[in-house]
């Protein structure tokens, strides 16, 4: 076993699970703590002290350079999957039916299907048509990074409409959260999610916001947690409407965002064969045996425990049991609390390293509590 394999399969799971368990505890302490809790005081220092701003900026630059160097050496297969899927699609093939997508496995390179929904494929295909021929000779399979940089710039405006911090404080914090994901399609998920939040939560345009949430979940399904929890809450509200005879319009209004967004995803997926699209995405993500044909199952706590006891084939059973049990435990919590708990939980029960999904969690935290619990007036005055 060489050093890189040791880090990936042995040291990696320890670090991975320790980090996300610690962050989960930190959020819980922060959320349930008093207004003068230690975590909130520390963040208020960031908002009010310029020295912290400069320190975070320096850290951000160092992190950025480190990640550029790291990705130049340790090549993930997300870029290969996007590139091969887009190129096959533009050649007239259906990457949800044909095995045309490049995947890197311990035994070598194999071809499989595209494992992200069509909004992902179509977005990258459009950019490839417009600029791929220019960027590909220089950036190879990272030809889409300029698109991500554009989305990061545009997305920052939406963030400023949600979190009312001074630019000098928000920008470095924003970059610190966003930079680690520039080289994967998590940026596309984050962009759809951010503008979805802006329209759904701020502008109260529920239909448009939910469509964008669904587009985000179609890239990487982390945002699906938000959709499912909101949908369950809406269904419960419809069921318990007092005057059902005269409140059908209210019920339709509550359920309309989910109907509209589902229809949009269906129509976009229809040309690719809806059944094959869902098979390509969900079977790959949920069945360990299928996933291991193109990738390793390693990292999160649940899969490591099951591997230790040779119970990998019961993975779906344990996932369903954990999710159902958690739903019962959290049934009286707010939607925000449910979303945060389930988001952190998912990081620990998926069958693979899920760091690419994490981008939405700190932003959801920032959007919901970022300026409500801090002494913002004092920060702005300073």
């Amino acid at each position: 076993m060489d050093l890189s394999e040791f880090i990936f399969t042995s040291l990696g799971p320890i670090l991975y699970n320790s980090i996300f368990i610690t962050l989960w505890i930190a959020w819980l302490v922060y959320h349930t703590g008093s207004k003068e809790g230690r975590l909130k005081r520390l963040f208020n220092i960031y908002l009010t002290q310029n020295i912290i701003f400069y320190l975070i900026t320096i850290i951000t630059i160092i992190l950025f350079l480190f990640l550029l160097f790291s990705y130049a050496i340790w090549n993930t297969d997300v870029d290969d999957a996007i590139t091969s899927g887009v190129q096959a699609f533009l050649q007239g093939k259906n990457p949800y039916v044909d095995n045309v997508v490049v995947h890197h496995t311990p035994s070598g390179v194999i071809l499989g299907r595209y494992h992200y929904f069509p909004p992902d494929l179509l977005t990258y295909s459009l950019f490839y048509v417009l600029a791929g021929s220019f960027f590909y000779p220089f950036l190879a399979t990272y030809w889409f990074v300029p698109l991500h940089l554009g989305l990061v710039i545009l997305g920052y405006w939406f963030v400023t409409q949600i979190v009312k911090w001074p630019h000098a404080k928000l920008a470095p914090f924003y970059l610190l959260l966003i930079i680690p994901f520039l080289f994967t399609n998590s940026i596309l998920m984050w962009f759809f999610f951010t503008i979805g939040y802006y329209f759904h939560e701020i502008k109260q345009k529920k239909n448009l916001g939910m469509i964008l949430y669904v587009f985000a979940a179609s890239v990487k399904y982390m945002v699906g947690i938000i959709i499912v929890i909101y949908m369950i809450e809406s269904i419960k509200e419809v069921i318990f409407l007092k005057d059902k005879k005269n409140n059908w319009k209210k019920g339709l209004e509550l359920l309309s965002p989910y109907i509209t967004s589902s229809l949009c995803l269906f129509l976009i997926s229809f040309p690719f064969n809806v059944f094959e699209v869902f098979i390509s995405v969900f079977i790959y993500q949920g069945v360990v045996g299928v996933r291991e044909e193109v990738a390793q199952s390693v990292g999160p706590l649940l899969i490591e425990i099951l591997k230790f006891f040779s119970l990998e084939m019961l993975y779906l059973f344990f996932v369903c049991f954990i999710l159902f049990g958690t739903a019962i435990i959290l049934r009286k919590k707010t939607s925000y609390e449910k979303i945060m708990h389930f988001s952190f939980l998912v990081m620990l029960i998926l069958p693979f390293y899920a760091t690419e999904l994490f981008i939405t969690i700190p932003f959801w935290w920032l959007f919901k509590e970022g300026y409500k619990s801090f002494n913002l007036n004092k920060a702005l005055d300073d």
Side-chain angles (χ1 to χ4, degrees):
M1 179 183 296
D2 59 25
L3 179 60
S4 61
E5 186 178 355
F6 170 76
I7 293 174
F8 186 80
T9 60
S10 300
L11 183 59
I14 296 174
L15 292 174
Y16 174 92
N17 291 292
S18 298
I19 288 171
F20 289 114
I21 290 173
T22 301
L23 288 172
W24 193 353
I25 294 172
W27 168 77
L28 189 61
V29 171
Y30 172 86
H31 176 67
T32 59
S34 67
K35 292 183 179 179
E36 299 302 322
R38 181 174 297 177
L39 282 176
K40 294 176 182 177
R41 290 203 307 271
L42 287 174
F43 217 100
N44 203 41
I45 291 174
Y46 167 76
L47 285 176
T48 57
Q49 302 297 320
N50 285 333
I51 186 63
I52 304 298
F53 157 67
Y54 293 120
L55 180 61
I56 293 296
T57 302
I58 293 171
I59 292 174
T60 300
I61 294 172
I62 294 174
L63 179 63
F64 180 65
L65 294 175
F66 170 75
L67 286 169
L68 282 179
F69 180 72
S70 298
Y71 272 95
I73 297 177
W74 302 318
N75 200 19
T76 68
D77 71 350
V78 174
D79 57 309
D80 297 287
I82 292 173
T83 301
S84 54
V86 165
Q87 290 175 338
F89 169 62
L90 294 177
Q91 292 169 5
K93 300 177 182 178
N94 186 346
Y96 299 102
V97 175
D98 304 321
N99 291 327
V100 294
V101 177
V102 172
H103 296 281
H104 292 274
T105 71
S107 58
V109 176
I110 66 171
L111 297 179
R113 296 185 182 186
Y114 202 67
H115 300 306
Y116 311 107
F117 279 99
D120 172 286
L121 179 66
L122 294 176
T123 300
Y124 286 115
S125 296
L126 176 61
F127 183 74
Y128 192 90
V129 169
L130 295 176
S133 60
F134 176 79
F135 288 113
Y136 190 83
F138 305 101
L139 301 176
T141 54
Y142 288 117
W143 54 270
F144 53 80
V145 171
L147 169 64
H148 289 176
L149 292 173
L151 296 181
V152 166
I153 294 170
L154 180 58
Y156 180 70
W157 181 87
F158 286 98
V159 172
T160 62
Q161 304 306 300
I162 300 169
V163 182
K164 304 299 184 179
W165 290 3
H167 290 295
K169 310 299 180 181
L170 180 61
F173 189 71
Y174 170 81
L175 291 174
L176 191 65
L177 294 179
I178 209 82
I179 283 174
F181 303 95
L182 278 176
F183 298 89
T184 78
N185 54 351
S186 292
I187 288 292
L188 184 59
M189 171 186 67
W190 165 84
F191 182 72
F192 283 140
F193 156 73
T194 300
I195 57 177
Y197 187 98
Y198 173 75
F199 285 109
H200 191 275
E201 316 288 340
I202 305 301
K203 292 298 183 179
Q204 291 297 302
K205 295 183 178 180
K206 301 294 186 180
N207 281 2
L208 178 57
M210 190 54 63
I211 289 172
L212 291 163
Y213 275 160
V214 167
F215 282 2
S218 73
V219 179
K220 289 185 180 292
Y221 48 79
M222 197 64 164
V223 183
I225 295 172
I226 299 171
I227 298 170
V228 169
I229 290 175
Y230 274 3
M231 183 172 65
I232 291 174
E233 296 295 330
S234 295
I235 291 173
K236 286 168 58 180
E237 191 173 346
V238 170
I239 291 174
F240 292 106
L241 283 174
K242 293 182 179 179
D243 189 356
K244 293 183 174 60
K245 182 177 180 180
N246 297 318
N247 277 325
W248 65 271
K249 289 185 178 180
K250 177 64 175 178
L252 184 61
E253 179 184 340
L254 288 169
L255 298 180
S256 175
Y258 312 103
I259 297 171
T260 304
S261 57
S262 298
L263 181 61
C264 284
L265 183 60
F266 176 84
L267 292 176
I268 293 173
S269 302
F270 185 78
F272 298 93
N273 187 326
V274 176
F275 177 76
E276 294 294 343
V277 168
F278 278 79
I279 289 295
S280 297
V281 176
F282 288 118
I283 296 299
Y284 168 75
Q285 301 291 2
V287 179
V288 172
V290 174
R291 179 179 174 80
E292 287 184 336
E293 295 176 2
V294 296
Q296 288 180 281
S297 295
V298 62
L301 187 61
L302 176 61
I303 195 66
E304 291 296 326
I305 293 174
L306 294 181
K307 285 169 60 179
F308 181 81
F309 291 103
S310 300
L311 296 174
E312 297 97 316
M313 297 308 297
L314 295 177
Y315 171 77
L316 278 180
F317 168 79
F318 280 99
V319 167
C320 292
F321 177 79
I322 291 171
L323 291 177
F324 182 73
T326 303
I328 294 175
I329 294 171
L330 299 178
R331 65 188 183 280
K332 294 184 179 180
K333 299 292 184 179
T334 65
S335 296
Y336 165 62
E337 291 171 321
K338 291 175 183 176
I339 289 168
M340 290 298 292
H341 279 297
F342 272 106
S343 296
F344 277 113
L345 177 64
V346 162
M347 303 299 293
L348 302 177
I349 66 173
L350 288 175
F352 52 87
Y353 285 116
T355 50
E356 293 175 10
L357 302 179
F358 183 68
I359 188 171
T360 61
I361 302 177
F363 275 97
W364 190 258
W365 183 356
L366 177 67
F367 291 165
K368 289 297 184 183
E369 297 191 76
Y371 62 93
K372 293 179 180 179
S373 301
F374 304 137
N375 187 357
L376 183 62
N377 290 331
K378 184 177 185 301
L380 293 173
D381 290 339
D382 290 347

